[in-house]
Amino acid sequence: MLVEIWSDIGCPWCFIGKRRFEAALSRFEHAPEVEVRWRSYQLDPSLPERFEGSEVEYLSKVKGMDPAQVSGMLQHVTEQAAGVGLDYRFGDLKVANTFTAHRLIHLARDLRGAQTAAAVKEALLAAHFEQGQDISSHDVLAGIGADAGLDPDTVREVLSGTEYTDSVNADIAEGRALGVSGVPFFVLDRKYGISGAQPEEVFAQALTQAWAESHQPLQPVVSEGGACAVDGSGC
């Protein structure tokens, strides 16, 4: 079964949703047969490579909200993150455009496969929300790539150009075509869509239901036509 997850590295609920989905998947009896594919999405493509200001200042400017209201919202998100073992530090967060970081995920998948891409995705989220790193920095991205087994010089060379730009844009376009307007957004076997960082139980139920529907045996159809037996006993 294929699970595709549209997600932005700059989205705090995406990291929380990742943890809740992974918890549900760890209890799913068919987990080894589930392929998870991370898809790119950008909540704010117009964001400069590096915003000179805090997360509170950025969200206040973009959403037109009172800074005190934004601080309260971030406190709530921080508490939700702590509930799944994440240590959000919005005071240290570097507000940055995520497009180049998404390109790194595609590079990792192309060179080393889905598991390496997933490791890079995890490291990018942790770097952004827990470690206060600038995920638009090519040096930071090269270090994350190196930790995942990629050659850092190759990472720098690729990111200095435009490779995988089309791949990121294709993910975003495909997500919008499927009706994705916010992230995280989970698509199971292109049959079920789950919006948001839902509770673990919701993901568990969706996995079970999607698996059952995708693996129903064929129903016999009465026919008078001839047929060949697999063992060659009749044809």
Side-chain angles (χ1 to χ4, degrees):
M1 183 167 68
L2 174 64
V3 177
E4 298 163 279
I5 308 173
W6 271 264
S7 168
D8 192 5
I9 301 149
C11 163
W13 286 106
C14 288
F15 206 179
I16 296 169
K18 182 177 187 293
R19 281 291 184 273
R20 291 175 178 174
F21 171 77
E22 288 170 342
L25 184 61
S26 69
R27 297 190 292 112
F28 185 52
E29 61 178 322
H30 303 291
E33 298 170 78
V34 176
E35 175 189 353
V36 177
R37 188 176 302 167
W38 291 97
R39 297 288 199 176
S40 301
Y41 198 86
Q42 278 202 297
L43 292 170
D44 185 5
S46 67
L47 183 67
E49 184 168 306
R50 179 79 160 76
F51 178 82
E52 296 302 327
S54 68
E55 180 80 340
V56 171
E57 291 169 333
Y58 165 67
L59 291 175
S60 297
K61 178 180 178 181
V62 170
K63 296 182 179 294
M65 297 168 59
D66 180 82
Q69 185 180 0
V70 173
S71 295
M73 180 180 69
L74 295 183
Q75 178 60 33
H76 171 68
V77 175
T78 299
E79 292 168 358
Q80 293 295 309
V84 290
L86 300 175
D87 182 20
Y88 279 10
R89 301 183 179 184
F90 284 108
D92 299 330
L93 187 147
K94 306 292 190 301
V95 183
N97 192 293
T98 60
F99 194 90
T100 303
H102 282 296
R103 290 171 56 213
L104 175 61
I105 297 172
H106 281 273
L107 169 65
R109 181 184 296 115
D110 196 20
L111 294 183
R112 299 290 295 272
Q115 288 189 340
T116 300
V120 168
K121 175 74 174 185
E122 171 77 16
L124 286 168
L125 289 164
H128 187 60
F129 288 109
E130 298 183 303
Q131 300 162 11
Q133 297 191 57
D134 180 1
I135 58 168
S136 68
S137 164
H138 288 197
D139 287 338
V140 169
L141 296 175
I144 289 173
D147 289 342
L150 303 177
D151 175 58
D153 291 333
T154 299
V155 172
R156 288 190 180 90
E157 181 180 355
V158 169
L159 297 184
S160 67
T162 60
E163 286 183 73
Y164 300 104
T165 294
D166 289 344
S167 300
V168 175
N169 285 329
D171 272 1
I172 295 170
E174 187 172 6
R176 289 173 178 164
L178 289 171
V180 178
S181 58
V183 288
F185 196 89
F186 303 76
V187 178
L188 286 64
D189 264 352
R190 292 295 173 105
K191 292 181 178 180
Y192 292 93
I194 304 173
S195 179
Q198 298 293 335
E200 179 184 335
E201 294 73 19
V202 173
F203 289 121
Q205 182 180 359
L207 286 167
T208 299
Q209 186 171 349
W211 179 273
E213 293 199 9
S214 296
H215 295 79
Q216 289 182 354
L218 291 174
Q219 297 300 314
V221 177
V222 176
S223 171
E224 302 210 358
C228 292
V230 174
D231 61 6
S233 60
C235 193

